[in-house]
Amino acid sequence: MQLTLDQGPFLILSDFHIGHQATLVTDIELVAPLFSKEQTVIFNGDTFEMRLKSSRERALHHAKRLKQIISDCGAQAQFICGNHDPMISGTSHAEFVDQAILITHGDILYHDVAPWSLNARLYDRAHRSELHRLPAAEHSDLTSRLGALRRATLAYDVEHVTAPPGIIGSLVHFVETTWPPWRPISILKSWAEVPARAEALARQFRPKLRYLIIGHTHKAGIWRRGDLTIINTGAVMRGFGRQAILFEDSKLTVRQIDYRKNKFQLGKTIQSLPVNS
């Protein structure tokens, strides 16, 4: 399902991975300073850990608490689903400013969802199966394609070693992502491919798109490809870069997310981008 939005103001975030062993969000209360009154907060996928059956009830509790915190700030929340939280909502993407801006998690850039994952082959097979079921006319429809991908990510229950969030959890996550040795190579390759894959997605489904906002790969960055700007907001984990995007007054402002005084806050402006020029 598509979320169609008005003119803002919006705050766009992604990849909090609340509940994951490597997340920096060890207490949901710490993120409250990010939100402002009369703001719509768009969480662009992988906000929560819901892949494990054992973690879903806890994730729903986290989601309820996060929504309450945002409401208490006078803002409202919208959740776009990602591959780690495919059942958090029925929304796969958001668009506004006459389709000049598209927000989607970014797992659609890869047929196998996450090439660096030990489950990549399973997801590739499930994705092919879902696409085979789509009517031919829907292969060129972004909403239908994202729906097929989301069903593919729900096809398998993923199980893996877990640890409590914090330093130990981050160490376990580091070991998981660096072994076997092909995994870090696959991650680096995927990072290098993001701009070209994102451009191909935009040209296929939204030729007039000016801004594509994603997460998923955890590596923050801004790339220009002709009249298209691709922004990856990174992840709230160690070592990847974490960013937020503010949209107001016909302008996208990319801000760093800092952790200061035991709370998350919007930090320095990385880049300011006009939308209507």
Side-chain angles (χ1 to χ4, degrees), residues 51 110-131 133 148-160 182:
R51 295 179 303 163
Y110 303 95
H111 200 280
D112 48 5
V113 181
W116 54 87
S117 170
L118 298 177
N119 301 290
R121 289 185 180 180
L122 297 177
Y123 289 135
D124 179 78
R125 189 183 311 144
H127 195 189
R128 291 182 189 280
S129 177
E130 290 296 336
L131 290 178
R133 293 190 182 101
L149 178 66
R150 198 59 58 227
R151 291 190 295 274
T153 61
L154 287 165
Y156 297 96
D157 289 313
V158 178
E159 297 292 343
H160 57 76
W182 60 263

Side-chain angles (χ1 to χ4, degrees), residues 15-28 46-52 55 58-59 62 83-85 116 158 160-177 183 218 235-238 240:
D15 296 88
F16 274 38
H17 287 282
I18 295 170
H20 192 281
Q21 57 201 16
T23 186
L24 295 178
V25 186
T26 54
D27 184 342
I28 298 179
D46 288 3
T47 308
F48 307 101
E49 284 300 313
M50 304 182 79
R51 295 179 303 163
L52 302 177
S55 68
R58 182 176 57 185
H62 288 324
N83 56 300
H84 281 241
D85 53 4
W116 54 87
V158 178
H160 57 76
V161 176
T162 60
I167 294 176
I168 294 176
S170 294
L171 288 173
V172 171
H173 181 61
F174 176 78
V175 172
E176 281 188 330
T177 53
R183 294 192 73 188
H218 293 185
V236 188
M237 293 180 170
R238 289 179 174 83
F240 297 109

